[in-house]
Amino acid sequence: MKQKPDLSFWKLWNLSFGFFGVQIAYALQSANISSIFRTLGADPHSLSFFWILPPLMGMLVQPIVGSLSDKTWTRFGRRIPYLFVGAFAAVAVMCLLPNSGSFGMSVSMALIFGLFALMLLDTSINMAMQPFKMLVGDMVNEKQKGKAYSIQSFLCNAGSVVGFIFPFLFTWIGVKNVAAKGVVPDSVIWSFYVGAAILLLCVLYTTMKVKEWPPREYAEYNPQPDDEKDSANWLVLLRRAPGDFWRVSLVQFFCWAAFLYMWSYVVDAVSLTVWNTDAPETEAYQTARNWTGVLYAIQAVGSVCWAMVIPRFPSMKQAYSVSLVLGALGFALVPFCSGQYMQILPFLLIGCAWAAMLACPFTFVTNALQGYGHMGAYLGLFNCAICLPQIIAAACGGIVFHLVGGTQTAMMFVAAVLLVMGSVAVFGIKSQHQS
């Protein structure tokens, strides 16, 4: 088998550039879903249930996209067709979701419509997101893989910054930030519209700039398993998965459960801590929602900065663990920062954990999978380690919310404990990969 050639910076950049647009869509979803459903009339005790659909669709869609794309060969490539279809579907749904409260439906029907739109949005985002991870696995050698995923992490965070600040920016330029009860403000609606346009442009750029290897050339650089009949048998693949596949998955379980609770409750937590309200119909709550978007953007900036620190650690395991502890400290500080600008510190610390979650797991797993074949299928299955903990955390959210006193701020402490557990689990990873 031939050694994959070194790629120039710009070729590595082009492989992941479309991720910028996809992440804008994902950031808009992450930052605004809870406030959208609270605006439509959802009760805080059931808020986490609305977060079951996104990871559930990711868990179903990404392994399917991975397995199918492993066996897909077209004139446009094997991964890019799925990227293209997913992105176009996401653009359409992004124009529908924020309008869930604008069609004159009852509260229950608006919530059902919003849930259906959310399901379609997350399905399409996951379909568009997975090919970027697989393109790096297909075309980048082991030496450059850390650099490639770092570029992907940078673009991911840059897209997040843009998506997170859109509602704040539109409010600043004069777009209405409040609306009738049950209706999503124009500042959020226009954020989704513009995000959809940017996503479309970014994906078109990637499809024009990236040329995947044809089957014969691909086979020269990537191991071809003899048991192709097992390529669609996920149970067989999971049974044969390397140990670090499961050890990293355990770390992922704690991390993504923690962030699910942040996404579900942090708008209300910030609103209660700083503005002393959790009533969606008030201007103070909508101001808190916009400011939380800015805090998410600050988290992303902190993540970009911390991503440059990670390679300076003696080992990636150490960097991974320390980053998660810093993130746990950030979650724990949220309820104590009563000033609007004091909230910046916790989110900078949370960004440290986010940087490690984006860069470290896929480096460990793709290196462990060298020689196993079925890279797309395995990475799709590994995505379940991102989705399953969110599903479990969302399903248990109402119970946990009740156990900690029924306050959104207390859920930040739950998230902190989960990240500490993840930092301990890091030391179970066997790889000695150096930064």
Side-chain angles (χ1 to χ4, degrees):
M1 186 179 68
K2 292 171 61 176
Q3 175 69 28
K4 295 176 186 176
D6 287 346
L7 300 179
S8 68
F9 171 83
W10 289 111
K11 286 186 177 179
L12 293 173
W13 175 273
N14 291 339
L15 278 176
S16 295
F17 181 74
F19 214 109
F20 175 79
V22 174
Q23 196 61 29
I24 289 177
Y26 191 71
L28 285 167
Q29 173 186 289
S30 300
N32 295 285
I33 286 303
S34 286
S35 61
I36 286 175
F37 282 108
R38 289 279 281 124
T39 299
L40 295 177
D43 184 88
H45 288 79
S46 60
L47 194 59
S48 68
F49 294 134
F50 293 97
W51 283 89
I52 292 178
L53 277 178
L56 178 61
M57 298 314 300
M59 192 168 71
L60 294 174
V61 171
Q62 295 210 29
I64 292 173
V65 171
S67 295
L68 291 178
S69 65
D70 278 343
K71 298 179 289 184
T72 297
W73 296 102
T74 72
R75 57 178 294 193
F76 302 106
R78 62 198 311 232
R79 316 295 188 186
I80 286 178
Y82 295 91
L83 161 65
F84 204 70
V85 172
F88 269 85
V91 166
V93 182
M94 287 176 73
C95 296
L96 286 175
L97 175 59
N99 288 293
S100 300
S102 304
F103 299 131
M105 296 181 284
S106 65
V107 170
S108 58
M109 286 303 299
L111 288 171
I112 291 172
F113 180 87
L115 274 172
F116 183 70
L118 175 60
M119 179 184 70
L120 292 178
L121 177 59
D122 209 76
T123 300
S124 54
I125 287 176
N126 275 287
M127 191 173 181
M129 186 181 296
Q130 184 69 355
F132 291 107
K133 301 170 186 174
M134 295 184 290
L135 283 170
V136 172
D138 287 345
M139 303 181 70
V140 179
N141 60 39
E142 185 172 341
K143 181 178 67 174
Q144 288 190 302
K145 202 166 286 178
K147 182 178 181 180
Y149 281 123
S150 294
I151 291 172
Q152 197 168 97
S153 176
F154 171 80
L155 289 166
C156 174
N157 283 295
S160 295
V161 169
V162 174
F164 289 145
I165 67 172
F166 265 165
F168 180 88
L169 178 62
F170 279 111
T171 301
W172 182 71
I173 65 175
V175 179
K176 289 179 63 177
N177 191 43
V178 291
K181 186 175 182 180
V183 177
V184 177
D186 286 346
S187 58
V188 176
I189 293 174
W190 277 99
S191 296
F192 274 78
Y193 288 167
V194 175
I198 295 174
L199 168 59
L200 182 60
L201 292 173
C202 288
V203 169
L204 287 173
Y205 175 89
T206 296
T207 56
M208 290 187 293
K209 290 291 185 179
V210 175
K211 182 175 176 58
E212 294 186 70
W213 290 323
R216 182 176 297 178
E217 189 174 359
Y218 176 88
E220 292 177 355
Y221 294 111
N222 292 277
Q224 300 301 299
D226 296 328
D227 53 343
E228 283 295 329
K229 64 182 180 180
D230 290 335
S231 62
N233 191 329
W234 296 344
L235 292 177
V236 172
L237 293 179
L238 288 173
R239 191 177 71 244
R240 296 177 180 175
D244 271 354
F245 180 94
W246 299 106
R247 298 181 192 106
V248 178
S249 295
L250 178 62
V251 180
Q252 293 277 79
F253 181 91
F254 295 118
C255 293
W256 287 94
F259 272 79
L260 185 282
Y261 286 141
M262 181 187 76
W263 295 327
S264 299
Y265 296 103
V266 77
V267 173
D268 284 11
V270 170
S271 186
L272 283 167
T273 302
V274 180
W275 281 273
N276 300 310
T277 182
D278 64 347
E281 65 273 11
T282 63
E283 185 173 354
Y285 181 88
Q286 297 301 332
T287 300
R289 187 250 309 150
N290 281 354
W291 182 246
T292 303
V294 174
L295 293 174
Y296 276 133
I298 290 168
Q299 171 199 316
V301 171
S303 182
V304 171
C305 296
W306 188 252
M308 294 185 285
V309 176
I310 287 176
R312 299 180 181 274
F313 278 83
S315 73
M316 188 165 286
K317 284 170 62 173
Q318 186 183 93
Y320 200 1
S321 183
V322 170
S323 300
L324 298 183
V325 170
L326 291 173
L329 178 60
F331 283 134
L333 285 174
V334 169
F336 296 105
C337 295
S338 57
Q340 178 177 350
Y341 296 100
M342 290 173 63
Q343 290 285 341
I344 291 174
L345 175 61
F347 279 81
L348 285 173
L349 293 172
I350 293 169
C352 297
W354 187 244
M357 287 167 60
L358 291 176
C360 300
F362 282 97
T363 302
F364 283 123
V365 169
T366 54
N367 286 341
L369 288 172
Q370 291 301 316
Y372 276 74
H374 308 300
M375 180 67 76
Y378 268 119
L379 290 184
L381 290 168
F382 182 65
N383 187 68
C384 294
I386 296 174
C387 299
L388 186 60
Q390 294 181 68
I391 294 170
I392 294 173
C396 298
I399 298 172
V400 176
F401 186 75
H402 175 74
L403 290 175
V404 297
T407 61
Q408 293 91 327
T409 51
M411 296 301 288
M412 298 301 100
F413 295 118
V414 175
V417 171
L418 287 166
L419 275 193
V420 170
M421 295 170 71
S423 72
V424 174
V426 166
F427 293 99
I429 301 171
K430 300 299 183 185
S431 171
Q432 298 301 313
H433 179 81
Q434 301 296 305
S435 296

